[in-house]
Amino acid sequence: MWIYNFGLTLYVWLIRLAAPKHPKARLWVEGRRELFKRMAQQIDPSARIVWVHAASLGEFEQGRPIIEKLRAEHPEYKILLTFFSPSGYEIRKNYEGADYIFYLPIDTPHNARRFLAIAHPEIAIFVKYEFWLNLLGELRRRKIRTYVVSAIFRRNSIFFKPYGGMWRQALEAFDAMFVQNEESKRLLAELGFDNVVAAGDTRFDRVAEIARAARKVEIIERFKGSERLFVAGSTWGPDEELLIRLLADNPTVKFVVAPHEMDETRIARLLAAAPGASIRYTQCIPETEYASKRLLVLDTVGLLSSVYGYATWSYIGGGFGVGIHNTLEAATFGLPIAFGPNYAKFKEARDLATLGAAQPVANYEQLQAWFAPLRDDAACLEKASRTAKDYTLRHQGATDMIVRTIFHQ
């Protein structure tokens, strides 16, 4: 355990050293300054608390359906939400679904005791990852009901290594572990855990809610007009190289491209791919004429999930880097999906590819071969679209199962 604690101490010092030059590291440090004082000032010591922890923004989106169901069905509880990463906290620090929102303190024994003394949760819920050993140990000592939701366990993870004893012991803090698949349940059974529920992934419930709450986006409606629309989300440079060629070869299709990062050089390159026929979303005005426009660059955040609702086909970026981004937001609208070759870590992408609703592509020729029949054959398009939509419908319900189990044991 001393190695774990020493490693955390070293990590904090490295973050502090990086903070003057790196904005994210600076937010990490500043967000934890006087953390316990702010917690003590804000958290009602008489409140009944459910604590939900998410590492970052992606885990928050998985935990959000649970938070909102708790809020609706158990108003007797206050919700405490914590983040480890600035990319989650800074975006969701004003989220109205939680009563208290803070950074999580670094997981030292002292911090774990102090955090739990102030937070005094009746229930603790960890989303997917983040197995903090001191906090889990303290939760167990205090007999606080503790759960992990939407978790995935793989045989190559530390829990199944000969040196993973303290990590396996940490899992004993959980009253129940809600995992995404049967494979995770089987692996945990090998370690002797029988308090495991294969509930599925709460992201399916989240994207269903996103689809139901999709906004009307007037600019997209006007841009699309009566044409068919191809929407590419969370794209990176290698994705955009393929999409530029696809745009050139399909003059009867309109394209919306939403870069993952608002890099001005890449945006300029995208716009140059269709000179005179391209426009940035943020430069659209009521007088803008869209009939001659074929490419719209979505250079703003928060709209992509609603824009998918206007599309006929989709492409998800990231597959030529560390891995693809969220495919479910497109699939829930019944869109056929293409993405780059690095998708093996994502179960839903593998499932959609196996079912024929999605296609990994390694080059432009493969992208065009996937797109052409979906563009020209209505029956082919309808089959892929129905398959994508049915897949998301079939996997909903994890949130209900989790909340029902936690509160009706």
Side-chain angles (χ1 to χ4, degrees):
M1 194 67 173
W2 71 267
I3 296 177
Y4 172 81
N5 290 327
F6 175 75
L8 288 177
T9 302
L10 181 62
Y11 177 82
V12 172
W13 277 106
L14 290 173
I15 290 288
R16 287 175 175 168
L17 286 172
K21 295 184 179 180
H22 296 276
K24 189 173 180 180
R26 185 161 58 249
L27 289 170
W28 193 98
V29 173
E30 291 176 353
R32 288 167 170 82
R33 188 166 287 127
E34 296 190 327
L35 172 62
F36 294 122
K37 179 180 178 181
R38 288 184 282 114
M39 287 179 62
Q41 290 172 341
Q42 295 180 39
I43 296 176
D44 181 353
S46 66
R48 301 181 69 186
I49 302 287
V50 174
W51 167 37
V52 179
H53 175 67
S56 191
L57 188 60
E59 289 77 19
F60 165 77
E61 290 298 330
Q62 287 184 290
R64 184 170 178 168
I66 296 172
I67 293 171
E68 294 180 355
K69 192 169 186 65
L70 287 174
R71 172 74 85 193
E73 296 185 358
H74 297 277
E76 69 272 22
Y77 287 97
K78 298 287 188 181
I79 306 295
L80 164 64
L81 174 63
T82 60
F83 290 94
F84 184 77
S85 167
S87 58
Y89 177 83
E90 296 300 328
I91 293 174
R92 293 302 182 191
K93 60 186 176 183
N94 297 315
Y95 170 58
E96 294 181 354
D99 299 282
Y100 315 109
I101 304 176
F102 298 102
Y103 277 99
L104 188 73
I106 198 69
D107 186 39
T108 65
H110 173 74
N111 283 350
R113 291 190 296 269
R114 195 172 178 189
F115 175 84
L116 291 176
I118 298 171
H120 65 278
E122 290 186 23
I123 297 169
I125 300 172
F126 291 76
V127 182
K128 194 174 182 178
Y129 298 129
E130 299 274 303
F131 300 99
W132 296 111
L133 302 190
N134 289 310
L135 271 166
L136 288 173
E138 193 63 24
L139 285 163
R140 189 180 182 192
R141 280 187 288 273
R142 292 172 184 247
K143 295 183 170 55
I144 296 169
R145 288 196 290 146
T146 304
Y147 305 90
V148 63
V149 301
S150 288
I152 295 180
F153 291 85
R154 299 182 176 89
R155 190 171 292 281
N156 63 354
S157 65
I158 194 169
F159 302 99
F160 305 95
K161 303 294 186 183
Y163 48 83
M166 66 180 179
W167 298 92
R168 291 189 289 272
Q169 185 178 6
L171 296 180
E172 295 176 7
F174 294 113
D175 290 74
M177 290 180 274
F178 297 95
V179 297
Q180 291 189 25
N181 53 40
E182 291 291 340
E183 174 63 15
S184 295
K185 185 174 180 179
R186 285 194 294 271
L187 288 171
L188 290 169
E190 292 178 12
L191 299 180
F193 291 101
D194 58 5
N195 59 335
V196 183
V197 180
D201 189 345
T202 53
R203 286 184 304 159
F204 287 93
D205 302 319
R206 175 64 187 145
V207 296
E209 177 56 34
I210 287 173
R212 286 191 292 269
R215 288 179 278 172
K216 178 180 178 179
V217 187
E218 184 178 348
I219 289 173
I220 300 299
E221 285 189 359
R222 293 176 60 204
F223 170 73
K224 178 183 177 182
S226 60
E227 307 298 321
R228 293 189 294 177
L229 183 65
F230 188 110
V231 174
S234 301
T235 60
W236 294 82
D239 305 303
E240 291 154 10
E241 290 178 11
L242 303 187
L243 293 165
I244 287 171
R245 294 182 64 182
L246 195 69
L247 170 72
D249 288 345
N250 291 276
T252 63
V253 175
K254 293 206 171 187
F255 286 75
V256 169
V257 178
H260 183 69
E261 294 181 345
M262 303 304 163
D263 179 85
E264 290 298 322
T265 301
R266 281 173 40 211
I267 290 175
R269 184 164 183 261
L270 281 168
L271 295 170
S278 59
I279 193 167
R280 299 173 68 143
Y281 181 90
T282 55
Q283 293 179 350
C284 294
I285 59 176
E287 293 75 28
T288 299
E289 182 274 318
Y290 296 99
S292 63
K293 305 300 182 186
R294 295 190 49 236
L295 170 65
L296 187 149
V297 178
L298 193 65
D299 59 340
T300 187
V301 297
L303 286 181
L304 178 59
S305 58
S306 293
V307 173
Y308 282 130
Y310 293 93
T312 304
W313 318 271
S314 65
Y315 180 98
I316 307 301
F320 288 91
V322 296
I324 59 173
H325 295 285
N326 190 343
T327 56
L328 292 181
E329 285 188 355
T332 196
F333 285 100
L335 301 183
I337 303 166
F339 42 71
N342 296 336
Y343 70 100
K345 294 187 296 184
F346 306 91
K347 181 181 184 301
E348 64 278 6
R350 298 197 309 271
D351 290 346
L352 288 165
T354 299
L355 292 168
Q359 179 64 50
V361 298
N363 52 51
Y364 177 70
E365 289 69 29
Q366 292 179 4
L367 178 63
Q368 178 71 331
W370 164 80
F371 182 60
L374 293 168
R375 179 196 61 202
D376 300 334
D377 187 335
C380 177
L381 173 63
E382 196 278 332
K383 181 181 178 181
S385 299
R386 186 179 65 250
T387 301
K389 182 66 175 179
D390 288 349
Y391 175 76
T392 63
L393 290 172
R394 220 168 40 244
H395 288 82
Q396 292 172 25
T399 302
D400 288 343
M401 182 184 296
I402 290 166
V403 174
R404 186 170 61 247
T405 302
I406 290 175
F407 287 91
H408 298 89
Q409 288 185 326

